[in-house]
Amino acid sequence: MPRHSGHHRHHRRRHRHHNGHHGHHRRRVRFKHRERNFIAAVCSMIVIVTLCTALAEPSWFYVKCGGCRLQKNVYIQNTTLGAHQFFYVGFFEEFYTTQGDHQVTHYIYHNGAKADATLIDCVTPKAVLVLRCCIALTFLAIVFSFLGFTLDLYGPTGRTPKLIRRYGFGSILTVLICVTINGLCFYVTEMLVELQRNTRTHPGMATAVRFSVSFYLIAVAGAVSVIAVACSLLRRYPPHEDSRRDSRLLDDFDGMYAGMPPLPANVPPPPAYSP
């Protein structure tokens, strides 16, 4: 008989430990689910797709009635410039002409072996450097957006990831980068306008440099990132103290049931109530 009672005590201890382990797992899964932010994750995914499209889109600037042209289209002077033309390392050739009493510098940019990879009077060395900075910043914005998407989707409960997720640091950095990219694009247009005015075929021809699809896609990505930041900051999360109190209550609840002996199978019903 003592061996039998010791076996029952050992079984109850194992049952209590088993219930406590599963209770801790349930609490961790429940708290992790409450930390997720699916709306912010969807916004971050839209930002990633938009930024990738901006890089793949072959139209970032539109140059009209200036000296910019491709090698194979010598007589077509309305040209679009995209990020794909500046991914690879190229080199410049310079030559000079005289218009009236001043000298004009012309730039030929070779960025590949194909004929359409040669840009004549389209960009300057400084403009190419700034455009490559825009490309690098776009990739950096994709990385930060993917970081925010991962944290919002899985909702890790560590102190540092939780702080980054709740305050939307990934989306905030993406917004700042998008604003910086658009600011650099304004600076590039100033350089392109000056180059087109100096290299236009007719002195009285009106030149124009306009933003095209990729520029507006970057702006849309920044706007959606602002929505993601708002979703992170306005979402109500459970306080840390409440989560610890709930954990202690669940521990006591699981321990109470684990320590109770099993009820007998044949329990007679209670007597009928009589006033």
Side-chain angles (χ1 to χ4, degrees), residues 24-40:
H24 175 71
H25 179 70
R26 289 196 304 269
R27 290 191 302 274
R28 184 175 59 182
V29 172
R30 187 184 300 114
F31 186 68
K32 186 177 180 180
H33 178 72
R34 289 189 298 177
E35 285 290 329
R36 292 175 179 175
N37 193 339
F38 292 106
I39 300 178

Side-chain angles (χ1 to χ4, degrees), residues 7 10-11 17 27 52 59 65 68 90 99 128 138 145 155 178 182 193 198 218 230 237 242-243 247 270:
H7 175 73
H10 179 69
H11 179 72
H17 176 73
R27 290 191 302 274
C52 292
S59 181
C65 297
C68 178
Q99 293 184 0
V128 171
T138 305
S145 295
C178 291
N182 286 344
V193 167
N198 293 333
I218 296 293
Y237 294 97
D242 291 347
S243 64
S247 299

Side-chain angles (χ1 to χ4, degrees), residues 88-212:
Y88 306 101
V89 178
F91 63 94
F92 277 92
E93 292 183 8
E94 298 182 9
F95 65 95
Y96 304 93
T97 59
T98 302
Q99 293 184 0
D101 56 350
H102 65 280
Q103 191 179 43
V104 178
T105 304
H106 299 267
Y107 298 96
I108 302 176
Y109 180 61
H110 302 273
N111 62 339
K114 297 182 180 180
D116 58 353
T118 301
L119 302 177
I120 302 176
D121 289 336
C122 293
V123 289
T124 62
K126 191 174 182 179
V128 171
L129 180 61
V130 176
L131 286 172
R132 285 178 178 166
C133 290
C134 292
I135 294 172
L137 289 174
T138 305
F139 279 111
L140 188 61
I142 292 174
V143 171
F144 285 130
S145 295
F146 184 75
L147 174 64
F149 168 76
T150 304
L151 294 178
D152 288 325
L153 184 64
Y154 292 100
T157 56
R159 183 176 180 180
T160 301
K162 182 169 63 176
L163 182 67
I164 294 174
R165 183 189 63 256
R166 288 189 175 186
Y167 289 96
F169 284 122
S171 298
I172 290 175
L173 292 175
T174 302
V175 173
L176 296 177
I177 291 174
C178 291
V179 172
T180 303
I181 292 172
N182 286 344
L184 291 176
C185 289
F186 277 105
Y187 182 50
V188 171
T189 56
E190 294 295 327
M191 291 185 285
L192 296 183
V193 167
E194 183 180 1
L195 179 63
Q196 300 313 304
R197 287 175 179 173
N198 293 333
T199 59
R200 55 191 173 184
T201 55
H202 302 286
M205 183 181 296
T207 61
V209 178
R210 297 197 298 265
F211 298 115
S212 194

Side-chain angles (χ1 to χ4, degrees), residues 54-108:
L55 288 176
E57 176 65 36
S59 181
W60 204 311
F61 301 96
Y62 178 73
V63 181
K64 181 180 179 181
C65 297
C68 178
R69 60 194 183 277
L70 303 178
Q71 180 66 39
K72 68 176 183 179
N73 297 327
V74 179
Y75 300 104
I76 300 177
Q77 296 181 340
N78 296 337
T79 310
T80 57
L81 302 177
H84 68 284
Q85 296 169 314
F86 307 100
F87 275 119
Y88 306 101
V89 178
F91 63 94
F92 277 92
E93 292 183 8
E94 298 182 9
F95 65 95
Y96 304 93
T97 59
T98 302
Q99 293 184 0
D101 56 350
H102 65 280
Q103 191 179 43
V104 178
T105 304
H106 299 267
Y107 298 96
I108 302 176

